[in-house]
Amino acid sequence: MTPEERDLLAGEYALGTLTAAEAQAVEAAMANDPALAAQVLDWQRRLAPLTVLAAPEAPPPGLWARIEASLNPAPPPRARAPWLTRFWALGATAVAAGLAVVVLTRQPAPPPGPLMTVLLTDREAPAFLVEADRRDGEIRLAALNNRPVPEGRVRQLWALPQGATAPTSLGLVPEDGRISVRHADIRPEPGMLIEITLEPPGGSPIGRPTGPVLFIGRLLPARGT
Amino acid sequence: MSESSLAELLAQVAAGQGEALRRIYERQSVRLFGVANAILRDRDQAADALHTAFLSIQRRAGQYDPARGAAEAWLGTVVRNAALDIIRARGRETPTDDPTLGDTAVEPEALSALEAIETGARLRQCLEGLPEKNRRGIVLAFVHGLSHPQIAERLELPLGTVKTWIRRGLLSLRECLA
């Protein structure tokens, strides 16, 4: 198949015109072929605005209740620091005394907990685990299901802090899919987007992504901390 | 206080705020149910598609990147994928002579709806640059989930011709949007 034919197949898959058997074949190929998966994503992005052409229609009443009943419970709110809980437990008349207790017994604020995200393929298969340490700024990437990279291309890791307009390169992802980096300008924070793009050898020549986004995820506090 | 944008609501969903998902449902469910029903033409199955899609939106909200397109378009893609999964599983027996299968979406003036979202204006220009049959084929396939043989039947054209025209249409769109 020529590169042109491959891209058209990705386009037809995104358009939805393939038969069930053909679509299944494309899905199976995508699982082993990040470049094809990226081409499908690009087509979905190009065509996505067409969804506004469908005639709006009210869903059946009760659908939200059905959805809500099946949602995963939200992550529990982070526990208040114990000293603060004790402080609130004191009566109003004991505030001054409480403050004194707090001052005497307060431990140093716990260090900010680790952040993590799992980068998913567009078919929701987990591809990479990203962990970030807010104390020293280290970001670690580990492939969960490492796949060969298309010949003549490399994977490049990027971070996009919230509010930033362009991502910052964190470097190239080695063949084994594992990398640990600290970047002087990037402080890991909740909400930061981490993504991997496919780039020419040596990485993007212009300092921002030029190739398709293969995997993307958003850093959040690791649960249970 | 101004209302949160859809992109902001998606960021809140990603941060675990369950309330934000309900607000997205309130604002978008009529449009998104329309997206699913245009493909499935069966309200029960469209409800199943929307159900699956909202579970997916909750899990994947962190993947939405505002720099890469409008939130409406992202939500639409998630719903459309859920509907296509259902239609493929049932073997695409959707009848094409269904009178509710309107051609309205294919008319050039209907394309003005694309202007409503950020990335839609450019796509509209590109679609309007296509020959009519290529454009009709692409819109019927995308909006109504029709397969190649169904589009051929609908446009009364040989299957091979339809495939070729849609491919040509996709190539022109890719070039035009580049």
Side-chain angles (χ1 to χ4, degrees), chain B residues 54-80:
Chain B
F54 268 82
L55 298 186
S56 189
I57 290 164
Q58 190 203 28
R59 282 197 305 276
R60 290 174 47 195
Q63 288 180 284
Y64 170 63
D65 177 358
R68 296 179 191 278
E72 287 92 340
W74 187 81
L75 292 168
T77 303
V78 176
V79 170
R80 205 169 154 271

Side-chain angles (χ1 to χ4, degrees), chain A residues 47-85:
Chain A
L47 298 172
L50 284 171
T51 57
V52 302
L53 298 184
E57 190 171 336
L63 179 56
W64 171 251
R66 192 178 117 190
I67 293 171
E68 198 174 25
S70 63
L71 290 173
N72 300 327
R78 312 189 66 192
R80 239 184 244 283
W83 66 266
L84 192 58
T85 314

Side-chain angles (χ1 to χ4, degrees), chain A residues 9-119:
Chain A
L9 187 66
E12 289 174 319
Y13 175 81
L15 188 60
T17 45
L18 298 182
T19 63
E22 289 168 329
Q24 261 173 13
V26 172
E27 276 165 23
M30 276 196 288
N32 291 302
D33 184 346
L36 181 66
Q39 283 171 306
V40 167
L41 269 186
D42 280 341
W43 275 110
Q44 283 176 339
R45 259 197 295 275
R46 287 182 191 118
L47 298 172
L50 284 171
T51 57
V52 302
L53 298 184
E57 190 171 336
L63 179 56
W64 171 251
R66 192 178 117 190
I67 293 171
E68 198 174 25
S70 63
L71 290 173
N72 300 327
R78 312 189 66 192
R80 239 184 244 283
W83 66 266
L84 192 58
T85 314
R86 283 202 297 275
F87 176 70
W88 288 123
L90 294 168
T93 53
V95 164
L99 267 176
V101 170
V102 165
V103 168
L104 289 174
T105 63
R106 181 179 173 181
Q107 301 294 311
L115 302 174
M116 65 158 294
T117 186
V118 175
L119 307 187

Side-chain angles (χ1 to χ4, degrees), chain A residues 3-24 27 39 41-75 118-124 160 162 165 167 193 195 197 209 211-218 220, chain B residues 11 14-16 18 21-22 25 29-31 33-35 37-38 43-44 46-48 50-51 54-56 58-69 72-74 76-77 80-81 84-85 88-89 91-92 105 110-114 117 119-120 123 127 137-139 141-143 145-149 151 163 166-168 170-171 173-174 177:
Chain A
E4 182 92 324
E5 282 168 344
R6 270 169 59 90
D7 195 44
L8 275 171
L9 187 66
E12 289 174 319
Y13 175 81
L15 188 60
T17 45
L18 298 182
T19 63
E22 289 168 329
Q24 261 173 13
E27 276 165 23
Q39 283 171 306
L41 269 186
D42 280 341
W43 275 110
Q44 283 176 339
R45 259 197 295 275
R46 287 182 191 118
L47 298 172
L50 284 171
T51 57
V52 302
L53 298 184
E57 190 171 336
L63 179 56
W64 171 251
R66 192 178 117 190
I67 293 171
E68 198 174 25
S70 63
L71 290 173
N72 300 327
V118 175
L119 307 187
L120 301 175
T121 68
D122 89 313
R123 302 304 297 179
E124 298 190 31
L160 180 68
Q162 283 194 315
T165 51
L193 273 179
E195 63 185 40
T197 61
V213 177
L214 299 179
F215 312 105
I216 187 165
R218 204 182 281 279
L220 292 172
Chain B
L21 190 69
R22 186 180 61 76
Y25 183 87
S29 61
V30 171
R31 180 178 82 80
F33 188 73
V35 169
N37 202 39
R43 286 180 56 89
D44 288 342
D48 288 346
L50 211 59
H51 188 161
F54 268 82
L55 298 186
S56 189
Q58 190 203 28
R59 282 197 305 276
R60 290 174 47 195
Q63 288 180 284
Y64 170 63
D65 177 358
R68 296 179 191 278
E72 287 92 340
W74 187 81
T77 303
R80 205 169 154 271
N81 285 341
L84 287 176
D85 282 345
R88 283 178 192 134
R92 282 201 187 270
L111 296 179
S112 63
L114 289 172
I117 71 169
T119 42
L123 182 61
L127 278 169
I138 285 176
V139 173
F142 192 91
V143 177
L146 297 192
S147 63
H148 284 135
I151 296 167
K163 282 191 185 174
I166 288 183
R167 289 184 147 219
R168 262 189 221 148
L170 286 175
L171 283 178
L173 280 186
R174 189 183 68 188
L177 290 168

Side-chain angles (χ1 to χ4, degrees), chain A residues 125-174:
Chain A
F128 285 90
L129 177 67
V130 183
E131 292 172 295
D133 189 325
R134 274 190 273 186
R135 292 166 302 188
D136 61 7
E138 185 178 37
I139 296 175
R140 290 181 301 276
L141 178 81
L144 298 170
N145 187 10
N146 205 24
R147 302 284 187 184
V149 183
E151 197 137 341
R153 310 288 287 280
V154 297
R155 296 172 295 189
Q156 190 162 2
L157 182 66
W158 306 84
L160 180 68
Q162 283 194 315
T165 51
T168 300
S169 174
L170 297 178
L172 303 183
V173 180

